[in-house]
Amino acid sequence: LDDAKRAGQVGEQADGYVGVVPGAPESARALADRINAGRAEHYGEIAAREGTSPTAVAALAGRKLIARASPGEWVRDADGKWSKR
């Protein structure tokens, strides 16, 4: 994941999931799908434990992941706009 982020192929999104940056190779989609499946499961576990929704957990995670993005990595805001950190 870190290599794909540095290569500008994927980035963190406000919804807590990894998104594929436009123009990235198809292999980036497969990576994002694998990562997102694991995140969805993890968010569901946290939501069940905390008595909230997976969507709420994912949104909080998204804010944290975007804040931690390294300079030069791509991030996607809640409006769907990609920008470079």
Side-chain angles (χ1 to χ4, degrees), residues 7-20:
Q9 298 174 353
V10 298
E12 295 296 346
Q13 301 182 128
D15 65 1
Y17 294 94
V18 175
V20 178

Side-chain angles (χ1 to χ4, degrees), residues 5 25 36 40 56 71:
K5 285 181 180 181
N36 289 338

Side-chain angles (χ1 to χ4, degrees), residues 23 46-49 57 59:
I46 294 170
R49 187 174 63 239
V57 173

Side-chain angles (χ1 to χ4, degrees), residues 10-59:
V10 298
E12 295 296 346
Q13 301 182 128
D15 65 1
Y17 294 94
V18 175
V20 178
V21 176
E26 188 58 32
S27 59
R29 169 68 50 207
L31 172 64
D33 289 346
R34 276 196 318 276
I35 298 297
N36 289 338
R39 286 186 180 184
E41 183 177 338
H42 186 66
Y43 296 157
E45 292 167 358
I46 294 170
R49 187 174 63 239
E50 299 296 324
T52 188
S53 72
T55 302
V57 173

